[in-house]
């Protein structure tokens, strides 16, 4: 007789257990020779070695299926048990599976470099044109870290330049005021997480919306923190943000240095930070190019045409 424990993704427990525990009841029927105790995100298994090993393999396939599709039915449990469903094993390049089993992975050389930097560094600066996937990949990496219990929360921030960082006059609560500025981050999250699950995580504070202006004085630990559109931060603002890093945190700063909306005499913190922090161990820099644009095929030539026009007008 041997005993083992398996841990589940806390955010997938409702889907794993099913209505009134129907899924776990079915699993017990499929493994009658094992003693199975389901308690929260923990499964305790005891029985003969070969039976326990078979269950561990089955459970890993169930977890992978859940990770891919964010749902689980009794029929799917039966099919996995009978090896009629063989969930795709995680390719080394796949970051996470989004909604409907969509694999999310780096599609260009620079995107792959970005993911590699994330795995090695605690602070990453990713700059480049719109459509190169820097924000999308940052969110995917953050959700993966949350699902793996590597961090306890995801914090999203972005400077509200148009509102002058003074959001009080806008209608609604803090989330309502910031939503227009954080839509790109929401779009990425909704591509990876079902809407009801995303709303629940926001309500629980697991995913937080933190205005850059309200960051002062906080220490951000056990979190992946993403600052988007960082080209629109001043040097002092970016310094304040970077010094919020706490234990077991990953900071990702993204921006496009060709799209600075700050007043003319205000220097972009994102531009300056490349001079100040270059060479510090633990910090990674990746620069995306037009070749990394992964939107509609027309986006890259459109961006190039506008750049050529800007160059012509400056002469």
């Amino acid at each position: 007789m041997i005993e083992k424990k398996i841990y589940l993704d806390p955010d997938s427990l409702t889907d794993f257990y099913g209505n009134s525990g129907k899924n776990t009841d079915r699993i017990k029927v499929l493994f009658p020779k094992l003693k199975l105790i389901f308690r929260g995100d923990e499964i305790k298994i005891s029985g003969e070695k070969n039976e326990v090993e078979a269950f561990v393999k089955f459970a890993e396939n169930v977890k992978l299926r859940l990770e891919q599709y964010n749902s689980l039915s009794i029929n799917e449990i039966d099919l996995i048990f009978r090896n009629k469903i063989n969930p795709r094993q995680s390719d080394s390049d796949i970051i996470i599976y989004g909604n409907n089993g969509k694999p999310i992975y780096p599609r260009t050389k620079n995107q792959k470099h970005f993911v590699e930097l994330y795995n090695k560094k605690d602070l990453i600066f990713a700059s480049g044109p719109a459509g190169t996937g820097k924000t999308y990949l940052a969110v995917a990496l953050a959700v993966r870290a949350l699902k793996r219990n590597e961090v306890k929360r995801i914090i999203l921030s972005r400077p509200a330049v148009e509102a002058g960082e003074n959001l009080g006059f806008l209608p609604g609560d803090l989330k309502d005021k910031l939503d227009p500025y954080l839509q790109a981050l929401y779009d990425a999250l909704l591509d990876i997480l079902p809407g009801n699950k995303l709303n629940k995580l926001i309500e629980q504070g697991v995913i937080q919306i933190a205005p850059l202006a309200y960051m002062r004085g906080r220490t951000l630990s056990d979190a992946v923190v993403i600052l988007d559109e960082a080209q629109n931060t001043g040097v002092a603002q970016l310094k304040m943000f970077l010094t919020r890093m706490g234990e077991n945190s990953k900071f990702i700063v993204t921006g496009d240095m060709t799209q600075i909306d700050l007043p003319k005499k205000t220097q972009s913190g994102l531009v300056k930070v490349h001079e100040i922090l270059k060479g510090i161990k633990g910090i990674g820099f990746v620069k995306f190019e037009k070749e990394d644009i992964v939107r509609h095929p027309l986006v890259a030539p459109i961006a190039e045409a506008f750049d050529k026009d800007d160059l012509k007008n400056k002469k």
Side-chain angles (χ1 to χ4, degrees):
M1 293 280 288
I2 63 169
E3 286 189 358
K4 277 201 175 184
K5 288 182 180 179
I6 294 174
Y7 294 94
L8 305 167
D9 174 12
D11 296 326
S12 300
L13 293 182
T14 302
D15 295 318
F16 177 82
Y17 279 91
N19 292 332
S20 304
K22 288 181 180 178
N23 287 351
T24 50
D25 288 344
R26 181 58 184 164
I27 290 171
K28 287 179 180 177
V29 170
L30 294 174
F31 291 90
K33 295 180 181 179
L34 292 177
K35 182 179 179 183
L36 300 173
I37 299 174
F38 298 91
R39 186 176 291 119
D41 63 352
E42 178 185 289
I43 307 173
K44 187 176 179 182
I45 317 114
S46 56
E48 296 299 325
K49 183 180 178 182
N50 62 331
E51 290 282 336
V52 171
E53 288 176 349
F55 181 85
V56 169
K57 184 178 179 181
F58 164 81
E60 289 303 317
N61 281 333
V62 168
K63 286 169 64 177
L64 184 56
R65 178 78 179 183
L66 260 176
E67 184 181 335
Q68 292 172 359
Y69 293 95
N70 294 296
S71 65
L72 185 68
S73 67
I74 288 177
N75 182 52
E76 288 169 335
I77 290 170
D78 286 344
L79 290 172
I80 292 170
F81 177 76
R82 290 156 44 203
N83 292 319
K84 297 295 184 181
I85 289 180
N86 184 18
R88 289 167 285 171
Q89 298 303 309
S90 296
D91 183 275
S92 60
D93 283 339
I94 293 174
I95 299 169
I96 196 171
Y97 291 95
N99 291 325
N100 300 316
K102 174 185 175 183
I104 297 169
Y105 55 90
R107 294 166 62 181
T108 70
K109 186 177 179 181
N110 281 327
Q111 287 187 357
K112 191 167 185 178
H113 180 49
F114 175 47
V115 174
E116 289 169 351
L117 282 176
Y118 174 87
N119 293 330
K120 296 174 184 176
K121 310 285 186 180
D122 289 334
L123 172 58
I124 305 100
F125 291 92
S127 60
T132 50
K134 51 191 184 295
T135 301
Y136 189 82
L137 288 176
V139 170
L141 289 164
V143 174
R144 183 184 72 177
L146 189 66
K147 281 180 168 284
R148 290 180 176 179
N149 297 317
E150 294 169 355
V151 296
K152 294 179 181 176
R153 53 188 175 158
I154 296 171
I155 299 172
L156 309 174
S157 188
R158 188 177 180 183
V161 171
E162 294 85 350
E165 287 286 336
N166 181 11
L167 304 171
F169 67 90
L170 292 173
D173 59 19
L174 185 58
K175 179 180 175 298
D176 294 330
K177 295 172 193 291
L178 280 167
D179 276 354
Y181 303 98
L182 293 159
Q183 194 57 52
L185 295 166
Y186 282 126
D187 288 345
L189 283 166
L190 284 169
D191 205 38
I192 301 167
L193 295 168
N196 59 341
K197 186 170 287 188
L198 174 58
N199 290 334
K200 182 181 176 183
L201 292 172
I202 291 173
E203 287 171 10
Q204 293 172 337
V206 176
I207 294 179
Q208 299 179 14
I209 312 301
L212 185 58
Y214 293 13
M215 285 279 201
R216 194 175 302 277
R218 297 185 67 184
T219 300
L220 306 176
S221 304
D222 292 312
V224 177
V225 186
I226 300 171
L227 175 61
D228 196 32
E229 299 289 346
Q231 76 276 4
N232 289 326
T233 61
V235 177
Q237 280 182 309
L238 195 49
K239 177 185 175 184
M240 179 273 292
F241 172 77
L242 295 176
T243 53
R244 302 305 96 203
M245 288 187 77
E247 290 184 4
N248 190 39
S249 63
K250 290 261 190 182
F251 273 42
I252 304 174
V253 180
T254 69
D256 180 359
M257 288 187 276
T258 67
Q259 297 292 328
I260 297 171
D261 298 316
L262 295 168
K264 288 184 179 179
K265 293 184 180 180
T266 304
Q267 184 176 23
S268 169
L270 187 61
V271 174
K272 188 66 176 175
V273 83
H274 282 70
E275 304 171 21
I276 298 172
L277 302 181
K278 193 174 182 180
I280 296 180
K281 288 183 178 180
I283 300 178
F285 294 89
V286 58
K287 185 179 180 186
F288 291 93
E289 307 290 350
K290 292 185 188 71
E291 293 76 18
D292 297 301
I293 292 176
V294 291
R295 291 180 179 169
H296 192 283
L298 280 174
V299 173
I302 287 171
E304 190 172 346
F306 273 99
D307 286 347
K308 285 180 180 177
D309 186 65
D310 286 341
L311 216 70
K312 185 173 69 177
N313 292 333
K314 286 177 183 177
K315 290 181 180 178

